[in-house]
Each structure stands twice: as C-alpha cells, then as structure tokens.
Amino acid sequence: MAVDKMDWQRNIIIAAILAVLFTLAIRWNTFQEQHPVVTEQKPQTETAIKTSDIPDAITLPAISEQTPATEIASRNIINIKTDSLWVEIDPVGGDIVKVALPRHAANLSTPDIPFVLIDNGAAHTYVAQSGLVGPNGTDTAQGRPLYAVAKNEYRLDEGQNTLVVDLTLEQYQVNITKRYTFTRGQYLVAVEYLIDNQSSNKWTGNFYAQIKRDNKEFAKANALSMNPFLGAAITTPDEKYKKFTFEDLDDVKEFKATVEGGWVSLVQHYFISAWIPDSHATNNYHLRKLGDKNLYLFGFTSNAIEIAPSSKAAIKANFYAGPKDTESLKSISPHLDLTVDYGWLWMVGEPLFWLLKFIHGFVGNWGVAIIGLTVAVKLLFFKLSATSYKSMAKMRKLAPKMAELKERYGDDRQKMSQETMKLYQTEKVNPLGGCLPMLIQMPVFLALYWVLMESVELRHAPFILWISDLSVQDPYYVLPIIYGITMYFMQKLNPQPTDPMQARVMQMLPIVFTFMFLWFPAGLVLYWVTNNTLSMLQQYIITKEIDKADSKS
C-alpha cells in the first residue's frame, strides 16, 4: 500500500468517514422509510380501485331491511373540551373531524393556541371515521346516518374524571348509541356502539374504523434538515411495525392483513393518531388509496356481529390522538410504542432514551439532560476512546519522520510503502488504531441521533439563554459555529496529512459540517458540541501525557 494512502486512512477515516458514515446512515434510514419493501399485497388493476370511503363488510348474506342513507349540507358540529383534548365531532356519521392538543402549543410565540393534529377543513383532509356496515349497518356508499345529540357543547369539569358524549340513532326498531368516552389526562378515547335490537329480526353488521387523510405535508423540510417519517404504520403477525408512505400506496393501491387485536396509525413527527380495536377479536385491516384522489384510508373492519331480536350488544374500539409518548403507547397496545421510531438501531435507542429521561428526572432541563447523557456515553467508551487517541497521538509524533520518508522515497511508491511499514513496526504504531475504536462507537452515535430527533419531550423544551426550543435549529447558529470550532481544534490535535490536497480537504471539513448543522435541531447540535468538547479535552490530555513520557525517556 502506498504511503499517501496510509496517510488518508489515518486521517480521513478518523474525521471524514465517521461523519460521512453518520450522514449516509441517516439518509439510508430515511430512504428505507420512504421505500419500504411491500411483500404482502399484490397490486390491483385500475378498474378494481375502490372509490368509496366506506369499507366492504365481511359478513353474512344481506337482509332485506337496509339503512336509509342520510346526508345533509349543514349541521351543528359537536364540540368537546377536556384538559388534554379539544375535539370536534360531525353528527353526520359521528366522525372526529378535528383534534387540538391544548397541552402542546402550535408555536412558542402563541402558547394559548393548541397544536392541531386532526383537521378536516377546506385546505386539508384528516378525519377519524367509524361506523357500522353490512346488512343492517348504518353506513353505506350512498350516505352516512345523522345522529341526534343532547347538546353541542361538552366540557370536562373540575373534579370530573370522565366525560361521556352519546350520539343516538333509531333504525327499524333498533336503537343505536355511538358513545365517546373521554378521560382526564389521557389522549385515548373510547368509541363504543351500543346496539339495542327491539325488532323481531336478527341484526347483523360489522364495526369499522379508519383514518382518512390527504398526502399534504405542512412542515416541509429543506434538503439538509430532518426528514421525519410521514405515513401509515400497522402491526401484523409477520412484522411488529410495518410502515407505508403515501407513495407506497400509490404503487400497491391496497394492503390487507388479518390480525388478532392489532392497531393501525397515521405517524408524523412527534405525534400520531391510531385506531386500536378489541385485542381479543380478529380484525381485517386495510390501507389503500381512495380512487384517483390524493386521499388515503388506514383502518380495520371487524368480523360480522349478530344480535338476536330483543337483545343488546356492544362493540368497542379505542382511538388515540396525541404525542408519541413511549410509556403511554406501550400500555395501550403491544408494539404501538414502536411508532416512536429509533430506526434500525432501536435496541440501542430505547435504553439511551430511558437514560435520557432518567437524567432529566434529576436535572429538570432537557438540554442539561442531553449533556449528561453525552457524558455518560463518553464514560462508557472512555477506554476505547483513549486507545484511539493514543494511537493518533503516536501517529502525530511520527509526522516529521513520515515527511522525511516522503521526501526521500516519494518517487518510489513500493519502497515508500515498505519503509513506512517498517517505521510503523519499529515505533509499534497501528495506523488504523485510531479508527477502529471510533467505528465501534458509531451505532451509539447513530442511535442517539434518532432518539433526540424522535423525542417529543424536546419539542418546545428550553435550554438556556437564546435556545427556547431544542427541537428546532439554533436561531442565531451559535451551537453550529461552536461545533465547527471544536472540530477544527480536534483536527489540530490529530496528525496532519503530508499530501497538500488531503490537508486542504481536512481543513474544509469543519466548514462543511458547520454548514450542514445549521439546520439541525439545537438538541442534536448540543449533543455533538458536548461530544466534541469532551473528545478534544480527552485527546489533549492523552497527547500531553505521551509528550511528557517521551521527554523523560
């Protein structure tokens, strides 16, 4: 191997490749999110595309009595307010057409205006639908039922733990109540159909629930900033967490799965909405594009339910609309917490997030917690880092001898390579010794990236002084500039390339990565600034110790 190649292995691998691997791994994970392999569904032909948003029932042969279709142009929206959810329900169909989260402000500058997660307005379609289909169902392709309600305003009062909102409908001597139950402090809503069959005939139908949304992305990121996943996610018997972008459904048209229990969700940065049916019932899930429109449906349909004459029954599911809180989602349904997506390094990301929360419990500030987590990770890899820095310090001391060899044998590449290897053996230096320990630590660095990007706890979380939100970029770019400075001084502690071109490339790296980090969330840049500072301090101390030992010998 030629000596100039040995030089860039020693230098570029340590600085550039680590950073490039970091960036490539992030982009690869984003690519996988945007292009997951879909293996469970065959594409449909265009003529088979379903254009109605009412799912087909999986049931027995139709009974003669059918639900009258009801559709009205204007109606009074039902407003519900609790301490954690502001919800609007349309009496036509009884769908949730708007959800705002009063505990999560839309912007820091307007703390009294809640973040709107679901909105079925003129500019955006996003609605949580549910209903009954089948022979005696209330919902058909021709229309939705109009429910009656006692009032249009509901509030969860002080001292009240639950709030029940009943929507009622009478259909051929069958009394149907669609009941929403809200609980204080929770983002989980119980949706229940109470069916009282007072007729002389058997009632048959299927419960369905689905999320209907367009493909608009309102928080459009630039090419260098974060690109969180936006799309559907589902759990199946084969995959605990399976993701679909809107583009995936453009290609496959429809995905179906039969799952006992399960859930289906719409995932976005920091927040999700999800339908969670009865965990003991078998449900038929569907994810599909709605005709040739830019609308998509993610939902499930239960198996047929039969209610004998003069009998009652209840069908229930839960709907979640709120932040991607790991502990809450884990308690709701198996694998729902995987929507807090730490990428392919989730097994490393989960304990790191646990440690981050643990530290926050003591310090009370997420920025300080990030610094504490960085210190903990540095301590974990202290010996590995020390080995790397010792190797680099030794290589730095060999720089004059390497320059002498290059001057002497620069025109004879084979001789130069032989003399270089002889020098390494004589001085007992491994040119890759500084690189390998760093590569071992890369999975932790990458996992930390996803943990900090996915943690809703960092949204609108202040640090100090000018940094009022760790989830967005530093408004004055102070942290990225500090990062570039620390990277520059770290390079000065490393052995410099003997080749002028390589040296210029190395000198450009702090500028390149400072520019890239300008758009990164402040929490992520804070981690890297802390990591660089600790690394630089450790490397400086080790270099001084080696210099002192050499001066005594």
Side-chain angles (χ1 to χ4, degrees), residues 183-246:
T183 305
R184 179 175 295 278
Q186 293 190 13
Y187 299 97
L188 191 68
V189 181
V191 183
E192 187 174 18
Y193 275 90
L194 307 174
I195 303 170
D196 182 6
N197 184 10
Q198 295 299 313
S199 72
S200 58
N201 298 315
K202 177 175 64 178
W203 186 96
T204 304
N206 306 68
F207 174 66
Y208 80 91
Q210 61 192 13
I211 297 165
K212 180 180 179 182
R213 193 189 191 280
D214 57 34
N215 59 359
K216 292 180 180 178
E217 185 175 354
F218 293 98
K220 197 84 173 172
N222 62 60
L224 295 176
S225 62
M226 305 295 96
N227 293 288
F229 174 76
L230 172 65
I234 190 173
T235 187
T236 71
D238 298 326
E239 295 184 55
K240 295 178 181 179
Y241 177 53
K242 187 174 182 66
K243 299 183 292 185
F244 295 82
T245 63
F246 297 115

Side-chain angles (χ1 to χ4, degrees), residues 109-246:
S109 58
T110 54
D112 295 332
I113 299 178
F115 175 78
V116 176
L117 177 59
I118 293 175
D119 187 15
N120 197 42
H124 184 35
T125 299
Y126 189 176
V127 56
Q129 297 179 317
S130 56
L132 300 170
V133 293
N136 300 118
T138 58
D139 300 62
T140 70
Q142 286 72 43
R144 310 287 303 285
L146 173 62
Y147 287 93
V149 65
K151 56 183 181 178
N152 294 107
E153 300 285 339
Y154 291 84
R155 298 289 185 275
L156 183 68
D157 297 326
E158 289 293 332
Q160 187 180 4
N161 288 324
T162 58
L163 176 63
V164 176
V165 179
D166 283 346
L167 287 69
T168 60
L169 175 72
E170 183 178 353
Q171 170 193 298
Y172 300 118
Q173 296 182 301
V174 178
N175 296 318
I176 298 173
T177 300
K178 186 174 187 177
R179 174 170 292 173
Y180 285 94
T181 303
F182 300 84
T183 305
R184 179 175 295 278
Q186 293 190 13
Y187 299 97
L188 191 68
V189 181
V191 183
E192 187 174 18
Y193 275 90
L194 307 174
I195 303 170
D196 182 6
N197 184 10
Q198 295 299 313
S199 72
S200 58
N201 298 315
K202 177 175 64 178
W203 186 96
T204 304
N206 306 68
F207 174 66
Y208 80 91
Q210 61 192 13
I211 297 165
K212 180 180 179 182
R213 193 189 191 280
D214 57 34
N215 59 359
K216 292 180 180 178
E217 185 175 354
F218 293 98
K220 197 84 173 172
N222 62 60
L224 295 176
S225 62
M226 305 295 96
N227 293 288
F229 174 76
L230 172 65
I234 190 173
T235 187
T236 71
D238 298 326
E239 295 184 55
K240 295 178 181 179
Y241 177 53
K242 187 174 182 66
K243 299 183 292 185
F244 295 82
T245 63
F246 297 115

